[in-house]
Amino acid sequence: MTPNLVLEHDVQTAMAQVKHAPNYWKSRLVEWCSINTGSRNLAGLRSFLPLLVNAFSALPGTLSSCPLAPEQVVSVQGKLEDQTLCDALHLVVRPEASIKIVLTGHYDTVFPAGTSFVNVQEIKPGIVNGPGVADMKGGLLVMLEALQLFETLGCAQGVGYEVLLSPDEEIGSPGSSALLAEIGARSDVGLTYEPALADGSMSGARKGSGNFSLTIHGKAAHVGRSHHEGQSAIAAAARFVVALEALNGSQPGVIFNTGRIDGGGPNNVVPDLAIVRFNVRVPDEGAIEWASRQIEGFIKQIVLEGDLHAHLHGGFNRPPKPRTPAQALMFEHVATAGRAIGLDLVFTDTGGVCEGNNLAASGCANVDTLGPRGGLIHSNQEFAVLDSFSERVKLSLALLVGYATGQLDAKAPRRLLAQTSELNAC
């Protein structure tokens, strides 16, 4: 176990400056979360960017806007189309420092433009409900506050860090994944600000995730005159979905979910087009291979043998994030920082995915639930616990100080990763 973390007088002084007043955090959430930033709402995302720029400009370093490559999506007509993404924000502070940390977060939400879920309100004393209060505009506020206090300390000068704020995490980071890989590869450790659970527990291992669109082309025909001459793409899609969903429970930890089916047309025409959009969650690389074989087999059996044509678009865009020795050490570092401020932290494995998966795949061990305590995310009941904001600011500050003072070894997770890779190669 890592020795206890000693927080010197100047750090304790900085800790005392952490904002505790619930109304302070509530007012910041109202300002940020009242602007809709659904991943596809370019106007909303672009209107929110100036608030982020203004807020993070308070930190030293170079802040820049990073245009992202468009995402390729399958339209309801079955055609590949480019979908424009908003810019990411990238802050670089002291890149010449020997200790390098990456902090990531996203400013998009799952709530689209036009949703009725737009207000931030205190639903009971100390509990606020609203879009993004936990996932993760609340997390961005925690990150910002911690970094501002860290910069008041002399030990901060020995730490370089990069902050990446992305607009596309909720749709799988199609544009920002390359940046995450690039920054993660040159960083010692990563800190990501997804919300902690309501009881304070944090994410341990995470499953991987894949998003797919299966486009099926059949043959149109008049229903009354020549139904037998048609090939129904909808019927093939239905058989594919039934077979896919029936796999749930047959392989430990693997989950298949059909999110949407597009296609078809008038009731008196045999439909010649269907698009099945589905997601797969996997615990490890072996599960990816197994799931891929099942999908390919169903396409061959249900679609191609039925004399239809099909095209599968997508893939496993977020690799699994298992509990490796490097990750275990990272959790130990965070637990040590927690003990220094009176928190007893627990790490629980989850099926959710986030930017932490991408960082881990780049070789950057990370903890990805440093945001406020909250829950019921991705629903109109999303909530955050107001007194957890100051608590989580202190946790991040203690962790950063631990790395800056050398009480926590920021280089150790990568050394462990290299050792593990060498052993696996033997």
Side-chain angles (χ1 to χ4, degrees):
M1 179 177 289
T2 305
N4 288 334
L5 187 63
V6 177
L7 302 179
E8 300 291 348
H9 177 72
D10 61 337
V11 180
Q12 294 180 25
T13 300
M15 290 279 185
Q17 297 175 36
V18 174
K19 305 290 194 305
H20 288 270
N23 281 340
Y24 169 80
W25 296 107
K26 181 181 175 182
S27 64
R28 297 299 305 276
L29 290 170
V30 168
E31 179 187 15
W32 281 19
C33 299
S34 297
I35 300 174
N36 179 276
T37 55
S39 306
R40 304 295 187 195
N41 182 9
L42 283 178
L45 290 161
R46 286 168 176 162
S47 68
F48 182 68
L49 269 177
L51 275 71
L52 276 185
V53 170
N54 181 63
F56 280 82
S57 292
L59 296 169
T62 303
L63 182 65
S64 58
S65 184
C66 300
L68 301 181
E71 177 192 11
Q72 276 206 323
V73 298
V74 179
S75 71
V76 294
Q77 290 79 33
K79 305 293 185 183
L80 275 179
E81 295 181 349
D82 284 344
Q83 191 128 49
T84 301
L85 299 170
C86 199
D87 292 352
L89 284 184
H90 184 207
L91 173 68
V92 182
V93 177
R94 293 183 291 273
E96 73 286 350
S98 61
I99 298 171
K100 301 182 187 301
I101 298 174
V102 55
L103 302 94
T104 75
H106 62 90
Y107 64 96
D108 62 325
T109 71
V110 299
F111 308 104
T115 180
S116 60
F117 186 42
V118 295
N119 296 320
V120 175
Q121 55 186 335
E122 195 164 356
I123 52 177
K124 60 176 68 173
I127 307 292
V128 287
N129 160 253
V133 292
D135 186 20
M136 68 178 296
K137 290 175 181 174
L140 297 184
L141 288 170
V142 169
M143 179 203 295
L144 175 63
E145 190 87 4
L147 287 174
Q148 286 179 308
L149 288 172
F150 182 57
E151 288 297 335
T152 68
L153 303 172
C155 64
Q157 298 307 307
V159 175
Y161 58 88
E162 296 184 59
V163 175
L164 184 68
L165 307 179
S166 63
D168 61 341
E169 191 276 340
E170 295 292 8
I171 53 174
S173 304
S176 58
S177 58
L179 280 172
L180 289 165
E182 177 187 327
I183 299 171
R186 61 176 175 253
S187 301
D188 297 314
V189 294
L191 312 179
T192 294
Y193 286 78
E194 295 288 345
L197 275 66
D199 65 1
S201 58
M202 303 176 74
S203 172
R206 286 184 180 272
K207 291 183 179 180
S209 175
N211 289 309
F212 301 86
S213 296
L214 176 64
T215 303
I216 303 173
H217 295 280
K219 182 181 179 182
H222 188 285
V223 168
R225 292 187 177 186
S226 52
H227 181 270
H228 63 284
E229 295 178 0
Q231 292 284 350
S232 173
I234 291 287
R239 292 193 296 272
F240 177 83
V241 169
V242 169
L244 193 72
E245 296 281 349
L247 288 173
N248 284 312
S250 63
Q251 186 79 357
V254 181
I255 299 171
F256 296 87
N257 183 70
T258 306
R260 177 171 170 169
I261 301 177
D262 293 313
N267 285 348
N268 61 352
V269 177
V270 175
D272 64 353
L273 176 67
I275 302 107
V276 180
R277 306 177 194 274
F278 60 98
N279 176 264
V280 187
R281 300 292 168 106
V282 287
D284 50 45
E285 292 295 328
I288 290 178
E289 295 174 7
W290 178 83
S292 298
R293 287 197 302 271
Q294 305 308 308
I295 294 167
E296 291 167 5
F298 288 154
I299 294 174
K300 181 178 179 181
Q301 176 187 349
I302 297 170
V303 180
L304 301 183
E305 289 182 2
D307 200 26
L308 296 95
H309 301 282
H311 173 72
L312 184 66
H313 179 75
F316 288 95
N317 56 317
R318 290 209 198 274
K321 181 187 172 185
R323 281 185 183 250
T324 62
Q327 277 298 136
L329 180 58
M330 187 71 195
F331 298 152
E332 187 178 314
H333 286 174
V334 178
T336 299
R339 288 193 299 273
I341 61 169
L343 293 179
D344 185 14
L345 297 174
V346 174
F347 295 86
T348 304
D349 296 349
T350 175
V353 296
C354 73
E355 292 169 337
N357 292 65
N358 299 75
L359 292 179
S362 74
C364 181
N366 64 89
V367 63
D368 55 36
T369 40
L370 285 164
R373 288 185 275 120
L376 299 177
I377 61 175
H378 294 194
S379 80
N380 61 8
Q381 299 177 63
E382 177 180 345
F383 71 90
V385 181
L386 287 174
D387 66 10
S388 71
F389 282 79
S390 58
E391 166 193 295
R392 297 289 151 159
V393 170
K394 291 179 180 179
L395 175 62
S396 281
L397 183 57
L399 188 59
L400 290 166
V401 167
Y403 288 133
T405 58
Q407 296 180 74
L408 301 175
D409 187 352
K411 305 290 184 180
R414 276 206 178 270
R415 288 198 301 269
L416 259 181
L417 179 66
Q419 293 167 10
T420 304
S421 298
E422 289 175 5
L423 287 173
N424 291 338
C426 293

